[in-house]
Amino acid sequence: GAVVSQHPSWVICKSGTSVKIECRSLDFQATTMFWYRQFPKQSLMLMATSNEGSKATYEQGVEKDKFLINHASLTLSTLTVTSAHPEDSSFYICSATTIEPRETQYFGPGTRLLVL
Amino acid sequence: AQTVTQSQPEMSVQEAETVTLSCTYDTSESNYYLFWYKQPPSRQMILVIRQEAYKQQNATENRFSVNFQKAAKSFSLKISDSQLGDTAMYFCAFGSQGNLIFGKGTKLSVKP
């Protein structure tokens, strides 16, 4: 299957700082990438849909000014958590969609964020 | 709005036996996809199997197969010859126009 990478795999930061997470599709081009958040022992919650060359579409309740998404190329999307607070601590997962041979979402390994 | 329901929070099975995980969904759309993803302790989401709604034939991938009942909006996953490495969270997901909606997951434990 297609490979999606995320960097960093884990990050610890102080409250008030900003953290950038990168999501890359390694062997395919993805016009659409997705960002999810997963709390312990819970399911994945879609935060936003990232489209190459256009503004991201955010799900209801997700602050677009706090979670900045940039999809600058067909293989890279970034999520920046601005002015992070302890409640932003979570597991963030990105995915990228292939169209051929069949539309399928492949997931990155996730980024564990801990805000102190 | 689409919803996905997994009614079994936890299940266990003996190694080499067969287990079935349940999933139901609700939608008014006619074109969609259904998926089962596995999330082991590493938390990497791994695609197990997918089913196109327009296909009547149930999808199979080696030891994994589905029972897709479109009229009943049911999409169960059968794991045959369970292996210790199958221990993981299993998420059923509904896909339409690129978006995925996940169920709450079933924690499967395979016991030696």
Side-chain angles (χ1 to χ4, degrees), chain A residues 34 38 43 103-105 107, chain B residues 37 39 43-44 50 98 103:
Chain A
F34 300 88
Q38 186 180 31
S43 188
E103 184 177 327
T104 303
Q105 275 193 39
F107 288 81
Chain B
Y37 282 91
Q39 188 178 41
R43 303 191 78 173
Q44 167 76 61
R50 61 171 284 152

Side-chain angles (χ1 to χ4, degrees), chain A residues 63-114:
Chain A
E63 299 176 58
K64 63 179 181 180
D65 294 330
K66 180 165 190 62
F67 298 100
L68 300 179
I69 292 172
N70 183 21
H71 195 156
S73 75
L74 289 173
T75 59
L76 173 64
S77 176
T78 60
L79 168 68
T80 301
V81 183
T82 62
S83 186
H85 290 284
E87 58 265 29
D88 299 324
S89 298
S90 189
F91 191 64
Y92 294 87
I93 308 176
C94 74
S95 71
T97 301
T98 62
I99 302 299
E100 298 294 335
R102 298 179 298 179
E103 184 177 327
T104 303
Q105 275 193 39
Y106 291 94
F107 288 81
T111 297
R112 193 180 305 273
L113 171 64
L114 177 60

